[in-house]
C-alpha cells in the first residue's frame, strides 16, 4: 500500500541519515514524488508521523509512473552538524 511504501521510504531515509552521521531532526528539505496526487492524504499522514514536530521545507510533485512501479520516491537534504 502507499502507506507501507511511504513508511519504508522514510525508514530507508533514516538508514541513509545514520550512515552519513545525521538524523531526521537535521533534515532541511524534502522533495516527495508521488505517482498520483490521490495518494497525498495517506503520504502526508505517514510523513507527519515520521517527522513529528520537526517540519523541514517540502515540495510534493505528482509524477505519474515511478521506476520499478513504486508509488513514492523522495530526496532529502540534511545537515551533518
Amino acid at each position: 500500500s502507499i502507506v507501507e511504501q511511504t513508511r519504508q521510504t522514510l525508514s530507508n531515509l533514516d538508514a541513509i541519515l545514520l550512515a552519513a552521521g545525521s538524523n531526521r531532526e537535521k533534515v532541511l528539505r524534502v522533495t516527495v514524488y508521488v505517482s498520483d496526487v490521490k495518494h497525498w492524504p495517506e503520504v502526508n499522514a505517514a510523513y507527519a508521523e515520521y517527522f513529528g514536530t520537526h517540519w523541514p521545507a517540502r515540495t510534493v510533485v505528482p509524477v505519474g509512473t515511478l521506476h520499478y512501479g513504486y508509488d513514492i520516491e523522495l530526496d532529502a537534504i540534511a545537515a551533518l552538524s
Side-chain angles (χ1 to χ4, degrees), residues 16-72:
I16 293 165
L17 291 167
L18 180 64
S22 192
N23 63 60
R24 69 177 76 171
E25 292 296 319
K26 294 180 181 176
V27 173
L28 305 171
R29 186 177 195 334
V30 178
T31 303
V32 180
Y33 303 92
V34 292
S35 63
D36 192 320
V37 75
K38 73 178 180 184
H39 295 307
W40 182 242
E42 295 155 307
V43 169
N44 191 48
Y47 183 94
E49 179 183 289
Y50 174 82
F51 279 108
T53 59
H54 173 66
W55 282 88
R58 176 176 64 180
T59 302
V60 179
V61 183
V63 293
T65 304
L66 289 165
H67 197 55
Y68 297 119
Y70 292 114
D71 291 314
I72 184 168

